[in-house]
Amino acid sequence: MGIKERRQRQRQQLREGILSAAREIASVEGWQAVTIRKIAGRIEYSPPVIYEHFESKDEIFLELMRMGYAGQLEAVEAAASAASDPEEALLEMGHAWMDFAFRSPDLYQVMYGLGGVPFSAAETRKEGEKIAVPMVKAIEEILRKDGRKVQDLEGKVTLLWATAHGLVALTMVGRIPGGQEEARSLAEQTIRDYLTAWRTA
């Protein structure tokens, strides 16, 4: 490996270390406690080194937000690919969506501006629309298969997203008595209820 390649790898490793440090601090103290100085202390570098990789704390949050959406998209697409029919795909995508949120609550908070995290609405919408694509496809296939009208697919996905997000957010602050399992169960029942309503509309 040449000097240039070694430096690039070291630079990438340091960048990843900065992101990991931010997540570690947030997991213990919350996102409002994350500062450039604390990140620098955790990775044992001076603050100016952090600024060589990220212009500001908000840029770190933005990169983590993109990382979170990429991970959630991967989980949702994998669930859709493994399903045998569009209804199963929609249900499994819902499970994968929520499982990611509960597995990586720190990233989820950054993705949706929870816990006092600042975020870009435009950037969030752009990333979120990628996850909506396989869900739109599944709903369209279900309705076409049943001979129903195919309309306002984006609105239907927004209803599902709003329900799942609400359940996740409430679970994270301890407002769902049965915790994660109840939240998953409620989300699945909601998907089934919506499908029944759309099929009979």
Side-chain angles (χ1 to χ4, degrees):
M1 180 182 295
I3 295 176
K4 182 178 180 180
E5 288 78 11
R6 187 178 296 110
R7 286 177 177 171
Q8 287 177 337
R9 186 175 69 174
Q10 290 173 342
R11 183 175 178 81
Q12 181 61 32
Q13 288 174 338
L14 181 52
R15 184 180 176 87
E16 292 172 358
I18 292 168
L19 296 173
S20 295
R23 293 183 66 183
E24 289 167 7
I25 294 167
S27 294
V28 176
E29 304 177 52
W31 282 108
Q32 291 181 321
V34 176
T35 65
I36 294 294
R37 186 170 297 279
K38 281 188 177 181
I39 293 172
R42 184 168 285 267
I43 64 174
E44 299 182 338
Y45 279 88
S46 64
V49 173
I50 308 296
Y51 289 113
E52 292 177 9
H53 297 267
F54 297 95
E55 292 183 0
S56 65
K57 183 177 71 173
D58 286 352
E59 189 174 318
I60 293 174
F61 287 165
L62 189 60
E63 183 63 23
L64 288 169
M65 181 270 286
R66 290 172 181 149
M67 183 189 303
Y69 272 109
Q72 194 172 52
L73 176 61
E74 182 179 359
V76 167
E77 289 182 333
S81 297
S84 59
D85 61 67
E87 183 166 345
E88 180 187 351
L90 190 62
L91 290 167
E92 290 304 319
M93 281 189 281
H95 287 224
W97 196 95
M98 296 186 78
D99 287 345
F100 175 87
F102 292 135
R103 188 172 60 250
S104 304
D106 56 330
L107 286 181
Y108 190 85
Q109 289 170 349
V110 174
M111 291 161 65
Y112 292 99
L114 302 176
V117 181
F119 76 117
S120 167
E123 188 76 19
T124 300
R125 181 179 179 84
K126 182 178 73 174
E127 296 297 327
E129 285 174 349
K130 298 175 185 177
I131 298 177
V133 171
M135 301 180 77
V136 165
K137 180 182 177 183
I139 294 172
E140 181 176 10
E141 289 179 357
I142 292 168
L143 295 179
R144 289 194 186 282
K145 181 180 178 182
D146 291 347
R148 312 307 300 178
K149 287 184 179 180
V150 178
Q151 57 187 10
D152 192 22
L153 294 174
E154 290 76 13
K156 289 177 170 58
V157 169
T158 298
L159 283 173
L160 295 177
W161 166 75
T163 301
H165 175 65
L167 288 168
V168 167
L170 288 171
T171 301
M172 286 184 174
V173 295
R175 297 297 297 274
I176 300 294
Q180 295 181 16
E181 288 307 311
E182 182 175 351
R184 289 189 183 92
S185 177
L186 290 170
E188 179 172 332
Q189 186 58 54
T190 297
I191 292 174
R192 294 186 186 280
D193 288 346
Y194 274 135
L195 286 176
T196 297
W198 296 335
R199 282 166 164 156
T200 57

